[in-house]
Amino acid sequence: MFLRFSTLSLAILSTFSLHATEQDIERIVVQGDFRQQNLQQVAGSVAVLTEQDLQRQSAQHLDDALLQFANVNFAAGASRGRFIQIRGIGERSEFIDVINPSVGILIDGIDYAGLGISSVAHPEQLEVFRGPEATRFGTNALAGMVNFTSKNPTFTPEGKISASLANYDSGQLSGYHSAAVSEQLAYSLTLDQQKSDGFIENTYLNRANTNNIDEFTGRFKLQYLAAEQLQLGLTAHVIDQQNGYDAFSLDRNRTTLSDEPGQDKLRSKALALNLAYQGLSVADFNAQLSYLNADSDYGFDEDWSYRGIHPWEYSYQDRYLREREQWTLDYRLVSKPAGLLFGNTDWVFGLYGSTRDLTLERLRRKEDKRERFASALQRRNLSLYGETHTALTEQLSLVVGGRIEQYKDDYLDVASINLQSDKTMWGAKISLNYQLNPQALLYGLVSRGYKVGGINGEALSKAADENFAVLATKASFNPESVINAEFGVKGSSADGSLTTRVATFYMWRKDMQVKGWINPDLGPEFAGFIDNAASGRNYGVEMETRLQLNSQLQLFASAGYLQSRLGHYVTDSGLDLSGRDQAHAPRVNYSVGADWLFTEQLSLQAGVQGKSSFYYSDGHNAKAGSSELVNVRLNYQVQHWELALWVRNALDKDVGVRGFYFGNDPRDEYAPHVYEQFAEPRRIGITASYSF
């Protein structure tokens, strides 16, 4: 594979002129790295979407945006898809057991791992780092990282307000404004409100809004130029999500029978203080202190039906109330030319610390019997990290980075089970980069990522039941690590009309964490736990290309090819899944699009996103079907006004975003089926915007 890809890389590079200047290179700056660098000069597989890219697909939420990234997938199981997989690695749900996501999420540098991104309205940009990024992000980046940057303050006034209406009684009102308060102080404010009835019809309750969307997001930034070499920043976020949750149907379609529809609510607030000081002679000093508090209420009708549907019926309801409070602190020194080691080595050294307090209260009704489970987890992280960048020659450079992290867990639950864990983990990255010319980069790297283990609270809570006695052996699960070998090429044509990025990778997973289930023939009664498979293999290719054919037509394409394999793994039910594809890891996914400017006022944007079939779980063999989504947007712009007519999923395809395999319908004697939650059907909308 590496030989074939090397030949491909050289063929691509041969199309790029050796006489291009730096001005010809596509100028997208990566915000999430240690240093802000041009995307084409970052050694690693990083993809970036700007506000214009998101508008092309009429994206309103992270779910819509993720479809444009190669080798990226997501799982729902809630009102939104907040569980992300990169290169086939990532979680798909969170119930009782506290998970540490394999794919982290940062919003303006604040850790939102496990909470998702509520709105992508008016971003600065959205970045996806593919592959282990332990040196930069630590335990939250075993598979990669999603980094979202909201609008930064500007000292020149600017703003935009947008209003959208769409089918399913949907509406969105959003806007941002940025301006200077004084010569030293500027702000930006972004507000977004989305509402929709959702795409489910509950025929039992005769309602079409049991899976509704009602989300408000506010993001505020202040930038203060305190002195010539000192900048201070303040970031504040507010999220109020009052969504319904009624997504799974006994009839395996978009029609439900639930008599007690669930909810997916989230209220969070976050605050960050930033400091950047350039007054030191050898290095710039950067620091961020952030705080986040989030309360969530997630629940659903377990039986997906109503009392009286059948003599063999059951009536259960499940609800999870979570509270999360976290503090993070990140100190970093970034070298200046005067502080280079040996005259040719840039360096970064940092200290990171975090505290996270998580509480859970699970309230479950089984017929008329009430059950309660409660737990608390206190996690403390402390890590040291560093990276050096050494120029070996004018064209060849070596990057070496590493991170060592200690975490301590203290777990306590309602059964007075008190467990502690104290482990030290490490990650690293070595990259050799060859700048063939100003617009062409070759790189090869090896990186190691990790994520923490944890406690199986549900297993512990049910182990005393003789029907679930085997769970006594599932009290905890081990940390997971991955080693990634990657080779890539990035290049642009002499006139900047063509930009291409290609990467190939091979990943070795050790003690990979998988979700297991036990159902000892007790009908609807089952238990979940996190287990460790022996190993896993993930390898493939991903690419992005932009081509400006002429002044009127621009083409975009991204594609990913992925092979993933479970190591030796036999489920507790005896199902041997050794060697099978991993869950939520489609072998092929792609996104192609075009911008066509008919006149100065009228333009058309169109795109197609597709992916092959994939397994829903590492515990059964149920699969999602392949999918192709067609999106079209027609824009008309006059001075400050823009009017857009758009269609998402124009062919009205049913696309599965979460799936289970078991029996839940008393009408067919609880015969097992594949039950799926579907993404949105055809959406038709109109958006009016005014820029000022």
Side-chain angles (χ1 to χ4, degrees):
M1 173 179 288
F2 285 95
L3 179 60
R4 292 198 301 268
F5 185 71
S6 298
T7 304
L8 173 64
S9 302
L10 293 174
I12 293 172
L13 288 176
S14 67
T15 67
F16 301 139
S17 167
L18 300 182
H19 305 291
T21 64
E22 190 174 349
Q23 285 75 18
D24 296 320
I25 302 174
E26 184 182 25
R27 289 195 167 278
I28 296 177
V29 175
V30 177
Q31 305 284 336
D33 208 353
F34 288 130
R35 299 176 185 270
Q36 293 192 0
Q37 300 182 72
N38 187 288
L39 176 60
Q40 292 297 95
Q41 297 173 335
V42 175
S45 185
V46 184
V48 176
L49 294 181
T50 64
E51 184 172 12
Q52 183 180 1
D53 295 322
L54 294 172
Q55 176 183 289
R56 184 177 300 112
Q57 304 300 334
S58 302
Q60 295 173 297
H61 188 266
L62 183 62
D63 297 6
D64 309 318
L66 290 177
L67 298 173
Q68 299 184 57
F69 293 106
N71 283 333
V72 176
N73 200 8
F74 70 90
S79 62
R80 297 291 201 181
R82 57 175 172 264
F83 299 99
I84 304 171
Q85 302 84 42
I86 295 179
R87 295 178 174 177
I89 302 175
E91 289 63 45
R92 298 170 301 283
S93 62
E94 182 178 29
F95 294 102
I96 288 182
D97 305 322
V98 177
I99 63 170
N100 194 97
S102 301
V103 179
I105 293 177
L106 291 179
I107 305 179
D108 295 325
I110 302 173
D111 183 3
Y112 278 80
L115 297 176
I117 297 177
S118 55
S119 167
V120 294
H122 307 296
E124 194 76 25
Q125 63 189 35
L126 175 66
E127 304 165 349
V128 170
F129 293 75
R130 289 174 294 220
E133 288 287 347
T135 301
R136 174 65 182 90
F137 301 111
T139 188
N140 283 343
L142 178 81
M145 174 65 70
V146 175
N147 183 57
F148 181 89
T149 306
S150 63
K151 285 289 186 182
N152 290 319
T154 61
F155 285 84
T156 302
E158 64 177 34
K160 184 176 183 179
I161 186 168
S162 300
S164 299
L165 293 175
N167 54 340
Y168 297 97
D169 200 18
S170 303
Q172 180 181 16
L173 181 63
S174 65
Y176 80 90
H177 187 251
S178 181
V181 178
S182 68
E183 292 184 355
Q184 296 175 288
L185 184 65
Y187 74 89
S188 68
L189 175 64
T190 303
L191 301 174
D192 181 51
Q193 175 71 60
Q194 297 187 42
K195 287 193 175 184
S196 174
D197 280 351
F199 323 116
I200 292 293
E201 181 181 0
N202 187 310
T203 55
Y204 177 76
L205 297 177
N206 194 27
R207 290 171 52 191
N209 65 349
T210 53
N211 202 49
N212 69 300
I213 298 295
D214 183 357
E215 298 173 341
F216 170 80
T217 302
R219 300 186 179 112
F220 177 73
K221 286 183 175 180
L222 273 178
Q223 183 180 4
Y224 179 52
L225 305 180
E228 182 179 354
Q229 297 176 320
L230 177 63
Q231 297 87 44
L232 302 176
L234 170 70
T235 300
H237 297 164
V238 175
I239 298 173
D240 187 0
Q241 171 183 301
Q242 302 294 311
N243 297 346
Y245 182 54
D246 185 26
F248 282 93
S249 165
L250 289 181
D251 296 315
R252 306 187 292 284
N253 53 25
R254 298 183 189 273
T255 301
T256 64
L257 299 170
S258 311
D259 57 354
E260 299 174 296
Q263 65 286 329
D264 185 16
K265 299 180 179 181
L266 172 67
R267 287 188 175 94
S268 75
K269 51 185 179 292
L271 193 68
L273 300 174
N274 296 278
L275 181 150
Y277 180 62
Q278 294 88 32
L280 301 176
S281 60
V282 298
D284 294 333
F285 176 71
N286 299 298
Q288 183 183 69
L289 173 65
S290 67
Y291 170 78
L292 181 142
N293 182 277
D295 297 331
S296 63
D297 181 355
Y298 169 71
F300 52 92
D301 191 335
E302 262 190 80
D303 53 272
W304 306 342
S305 63
Y306 56 90
R307 293 182 186 239
I309 188 174
H310 192 273
W312 294 351
E313 69 182 24
Y314 75 100
S315 179
Y316 287 9
Q317 188 183 46
D318 213 356
R319 186 180 182 189
Y320 299 82
L321 301 170
R322 279 188 165 87
E323 294 182 5
R324 170 171 162 180
E325 185 174 42
Q326 70 181 37
W327 290 88
T328 61
L329 178 63
D330 194 354
Y331 289 127
R332 185 179 310 150
L333 288 169
V334 182
S335 67
K336 291 181 176 180
L340 298 185
L341 300 175
F342 311 110
N344 61 351
T345 299
D346 293 314
W347 52 267
V348 176
F349 293 113
L351 170 68
Y352 174 89
S354 71
T355 67
R356 181 177 296 184
D357 295 313
L358 305 166
T359 63
L360 164 70
E361 183 179 22
R362 183 195 188 189
L363 304 175
R364 194 179 186 208
R365 181 187 58 76
K366 298 167 58 176
E367 304 299 347
D368 295 321
K369 179 183 177 182
R370 307 283 175 171
E371 294 182 348
R372 177 181 178 272
F373 175 83
S375 67
L377 177 68
Q378 184 181 74
R379 173 165 290 172
R380 302 291 180 261
N381 291 63
L382 182 65
S383 61
L384 294 170
Y385 60 86
E387 184 176 276
T388 61
H389 185 286
T390 303
L392 302 178
T393 69
E394 289 186 3
Q395 294 176 299
L396 190 65
S397 61
L398 176 68
V399 176
V400 178
R403 188 183 192 107
I404 185 167
E405 180 167 356
Q406 183 184 48
Y407 76 93
K408 295 182 179 181
D409 283 355
D410 193 344
Y411 172 87
L412 177 65
D413 65 25
V414 70
S416 297
I417 296 175
N418 191 345
L419 297 174
Q420 289 81 36
S421 178
D422 186 345
K423 291 187 180 295
T424 300
M425 306 189 71
W426 64 276
K429 176 180 178 180
I430 300 176
S431 174
L432 190 63
N433 313 323
Y434 185 70
Q435 195 75 49
L436 184 64
N437 54 60
Q439 84 280 7
L441 172 72
L442 288 168
Y443 71 88
L445 66 84
V446 177
S447 56
R448 184 185 191 272
Y450 60 90
K451 73 170 180 175
V452 301
I455 306 299
N456 278 319
E458 184 172 10
L460 291 172
S461 69
K462 293 187 174 182
D465 186 333
E466 62 180 12
N467 294 301
F468 292 95
V470 67
L471 291 176
T473 65
K474 308 291 185 182
S476 63
F477 52 96
N478 296 326
E480 178 180 350
S481 64
V482 62
I483 293 177
N484 171 58
E486 185 173 319
F487 175 74
V489 56
K490 300 183 178 186
S492 302
S493 61
D495 59 1
S497 62
L498 173 65
T499 301
T500 297
R501 293 178 289 274
V502 187
T504 185
F505 60 90
Y506 199 106
M507 305 172 74
W508 294 264
R509 302 178 66 180
K510 181 180 179 182
D511 292 327
M512 62 177 291
Q513 296 173 9
V514 296
K515 189 64 182 283
W517 299 91
I518 290 180
N519 184 335
D521 299 323
L522 295 179
E525 193 63 30
F526 56 89
F529 57 92
I530 300 176
D531 203 357
N532 294 97
S535 62
R537 298 288 185 268
N538 300 58
Y539 57 92
V541 179
E542 51 219 9
M543 61 81 68
E544 287 97 20
T545 295
R546 177 185 62 81
L547 175 62
Q548 184 81 47
L549 285 178
N550 53 51
S551 60
Q552 292 181 297
L553 183 59
Q554 189 171 199
L555 304 178
F556 306 85
S558 67
Y561 173 74
L562 175 67
Q563 287 279 0
S564 64
R565 292 287 182 268
L566 288 167
H568 177 70
Y569 182 58
V570 180
T571 69
D572 283 270
S573 63
L575 183 62
D576 189 351
L577 299 179
S578 303
R580 201 208 69 180
D581 286 1
Q582 296 166 23
H584 270 255
R587 293 193 176 185
V588 176
N589 80 309
Y590 64 89
S591 175
V592 296
D595 289 353
W596 193 356
L597 184 65
F598 297 118
T599 68
E600 290 185 0
Q601 291 79 34
L602 187 64
S603 63
L604 177 69
Q605 298 169 313
V608 180
Q609 290 90 42
K611 55 188 169 186
S612 59
S613 63
F614 57 88
Y615 291 98
Y616 276 125
S617 173
D618 291 324
H620 55 72
N621 283 320
K623 299 181 73 173
S626 60
S627 62
E628 300 81 28
L629 299 179
V630 176
N631 304 315
V632 181
R633 183 184 180 99
L634 185 65
N635 303 281
Y636 184 76
Q637 187 165 359
V638 179
Q639 295 181 340
H640 299 289
W641 288 94
E642 180 182 1
L643 186 66
L645 175 65
W646 50 267
V647 182
R648 289 202 305 263
N649 190 7
L651 302 181
D652 200 23
K653 298 286 188 178
D654 285 336
V655 179
V657 291
R658 188 73 171 107
F660 299 96
Y661 181 77
F662 60 93
N664 204 41
D665 192 343
R667 300 172 301 180
D668 63 7
E669 301 182 6
Y670 294 104
H673 298 285
V674 180
Y675 291 107
E676 297 178 280
Q677 178 178 342
F678 298 109
E680 64 178 22
R682 181 189 294 121
R683 304 296 309 284
I684 303 175
I686 186 170
T687 299
S689 302
Y690 179 74
S691 301
F692 54 94

